[in-house]
Amino acid sequence: MKIITWNVNGLRAALDKGIWDWIKSVNPDIVCLQEIKTRFEQLSEEQRMQFEGFQAHWNSAERLGYSGVVTFTTSEPVEIEYGLGDPRFDIEGRVIRTCYPDFLLYNI
């Protein structure tokens, strides 16, 4: 299994610079991105289409343009948890835990 993680410091800009072409070229099973600073609905249709073949699990910050993580997977996790369970921190969208039969993956 190939897992890629990257602090992109702004997903929209990274997509516009071709990050997804590189990601597809290395053929990962899971992609964890941090500091995405966007919500799914803020992406253009062209940007959204790049994720074809992946399931996306978003945890965006309540505040626009701030923090956030997204986990892309090629297979459905057994369970997904968002945040730490403390609303003081969870509004920042910094944690996704995906559970698979053999491991837990934290995208922080």
Side-chain angles (χ1 to χ4, degrees):
M1 177 168 287
K2 186 182 290 187
I3 301 171
I4 295 174
T5 183
W6 194 339
N7 181 322
V8 295
N9 194 27
L11 179 57
R12 289 178 286 180
L15 290 171
D16 291 344
K17 292 178 182 176
I19 187 176
W20 207 259
D21 291 332
W22 177 81
I23 288 172
K24 287 191 302 191
S25 77
V26 296
N27 196 29
D29 299 294
I30 300 172
V31 179
C32 299
L33 302 179
Q34 304 85 35
E35 296 298 322
I36 58 173
K37 300 181 181 182
T38 192
R39 297 179 181 172
F40 179 77
E41 58 271 11
Q42 291 178 286
L43 299 176
S44 69
E45 187 62 31
E46 182 179 324
Q47 290 170 324
R48 293 177 189 182
M49 289 177 57
Q50 295 180 54
F51 309 139
E52 189 174 321
F54 286 89
Q55 300 170 22
H57 308 283
W58 296 79
N59 192 4
S60 300
E62 284 186 14
R63 185 172 130 197
L64 291 177
Y66 185 72
S67 65
V69 294
V70 61
T71 302
F72 296 97
T73 64
T74 57
S75 61
E76 183 67 33
V78 174
E79 182 182 352
I80 305 164
E81 288 187 21
Y82 300 90
L84 297 169
D86 186 329
R88 295 176 300 165
F89 305 113
D90 290 346
I91 62 170
E92 294 186 1
R94 294 190 183 271
V95 179
I96 299 175
R97 182 182 75 147
T98 48
C99 305
Y100 295 88
D102 299 326
F103 66 97
L104 298 175
L105 177 68
Y106 287 83
N107 182 2
I108 301 173

